[in-house]
């Protein structure tokens, strides 16, 4: 068959789509590129946030990526505000981001999670693997949950109250009376009309000792 010179029209969006896809693949370094690509374009087609690491992290010595606050924020964005997430979906998101399976299993075991996982509790336990203490853990969670990129990280006090109580309960070394005393002080002396708590409210106030 003779060759015919036909005009091929390139969609104007294609270069930018391929550029963002390539950048995402380089940043994320997925172990299964084809599966990750399928997940990436499915998310883009649905208008969801694709499973891309927000910025380049240091290259780990193992085949697993390091869990970081930035990756936790990606996970939180993928959960999309839901309070309950199915364990299989969460495991898939974890795998797509190339995070250690033993850490996932550890969080699931410590939280006694089954098929339906309370996302805030899962996030709290995942963050505790990064925080050296409860204050640091709550700081990480606050930064992950905060929607305010223009100022200090802040979350509703009711959310902080739930998370602090839960983490202290799992930790087992902080009395409930101490937790309640700190929460009462924060609510009465620090929280303003907006009902929000900032990171500095519990990290730099000498009267607040969460441990």
């Amino acid at each position: 068959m003779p060759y015919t010179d036909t005009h091929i029209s390139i969609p104007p969006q294609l270069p930018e789509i391929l550029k963002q896809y390539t950048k995402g693949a380089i940043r994320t370094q997925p172990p299964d590129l084809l599966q990750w690509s399928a997940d990436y374009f499915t998310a883009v087609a649905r208008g969801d946030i694709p499973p891309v690491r927000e910025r380049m992290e240091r290259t780990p010595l193992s085949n697993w990526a390091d869990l970081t606050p930035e990756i936790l924020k990606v996970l939180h964005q993928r959960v999309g505000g839901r309070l309950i997430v199915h364990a299989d979906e969460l495991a898939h998101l974890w795998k797509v981001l190339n995070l250690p399976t033993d850490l996932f299993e550890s969080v699931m075991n410590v939280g006694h999670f089954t098929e339906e996982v309370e996302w805030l509790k899962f996030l709290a336990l995942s963050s505790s693997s990064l925080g050296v203490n409860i204050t640091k853990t709550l700081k990480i969670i606050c930064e992950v949950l905060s929607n305010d990129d223009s100022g200090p990280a802040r979350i509703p006090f009711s959310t902080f109250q739930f998370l602090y109580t839960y983490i202290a309960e799992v930790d087992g070394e902080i009395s409930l009376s101490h937790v309640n005393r700190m929460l009462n002080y924060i609510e009465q002396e620090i929280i303003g009309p907006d009902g929000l708590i900032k990171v500095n409210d519990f990290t730099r106030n000498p009267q607040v000792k969460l441990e």
Side-chain angles (χ1 to χ4, degrees):
M1 175 180 288
Y3 172 77
T4 57
D5 186 12
T6 58
H7 177 68
I8 299 176
S9 177
I10 300 176
Q13 311 99 311
L14 183 60
E16 182 63 22
I17 290 174
L18 293 178
K19 176 183 175 182
Q20 294 303 321
Y21 162 75
T22 303
K23 286 170 61 178
I26 293 172
R27 286 181 179 179
T28 307
Q29 295 289 306
D32 186 338
L33 180 60
L34 289 179
Q35 181 60 56
W36 180 87
S37 299
D39 295 329
Y40 176 92
F41 284 112
T42 297
V44 170
R46 291 176 177 173
D48 297 334
I49 298 172
V52 175
R53 299 179 74 172
E54 286 193 338
R55 62 190 178 102
M56 289 292 288
E57 303 292 339
R58 65 185 184 278
T59 303
L61 297 178
S62 67
N63 292 327
W64 298 112
D66 292 332
L67 181 64
T68 65
E70 291 78 18
I71 292 183
L72 283 176
K73 198 167 186 71
V74 171
L75 279 171
H76 180 61
Q77 291 169 339
R78 294 285 288 162
V79 167
R82 288 173 290 165
L83 297 178
I84 303 295
V85 187
H86 199 280
D88 288 344
E89 179 185 356
L90 208 49
H92 178 68
L93 292 174
W94 197 270
K95 180 181 178 181
V96 165
L97 291 171
N98 196 26
L99 295 169
T101 54
D102 57 344
L103 178 56
F104 178 82
E105 292 169 358
S106 175
V107 171
M108 291 293 289
N109 289 333
V110 172
H112 303 292
F113 301 123
T114 53
E115 292 185 359
E116 294 187 338
V117 179
E118 291 185 61
W119 169 242
L120 286 181
K121 290 185 177 181
F122 184 91
L123 175 62
L125 296 180
S126 299
S127 299
S128 70
S129 70
L130 303 175
V132 295
N133 54 41
I134 287 182
T135 301
K136 176 64 174 176
T137 296
L138 286 166
K139 178 179 182 292
I140 292 171
I141 300 172
C142 189
E143 291 169 347
V144 169
L145 295 178
S146 179
N147 294 320
D148 189 354
D149 295 328
S150 60
R154 63 192 75 196
I155 62 174
F157 174 69
S158 58
T159 302
F160 177 87
Q161 183 176 30
F162 171 80
L163 291 167
Y164 178 33
T165 303
Y166 175 67
I167 295 171
E169 179 185 349
V170 173
D171 180 77
E173 302 206 356
I174 303 174
S175 68
L176 181 59
S177 61
H178 178 79
V179 171
N180 289 335
R181 187 163 58 253
M182 287 297 99
L183 289 173
N184 288 335
Y185 174 83
I186 293 171
E187 184 173 24
Q188 294 173 14
E189 303 295 333
I190 297 177
I191 303 302
D194 60 3
L196 300 176
I197 182 170
K198 301 185 293 294
V199 167
N200 288 349
D201 291 337
F202 61 88
T203 59
R204 296 191 178 182
N205 188 322
Q207 299 301 318
V208 177
K209 299 179 180 178
L210 301 181
E211 311 300 327

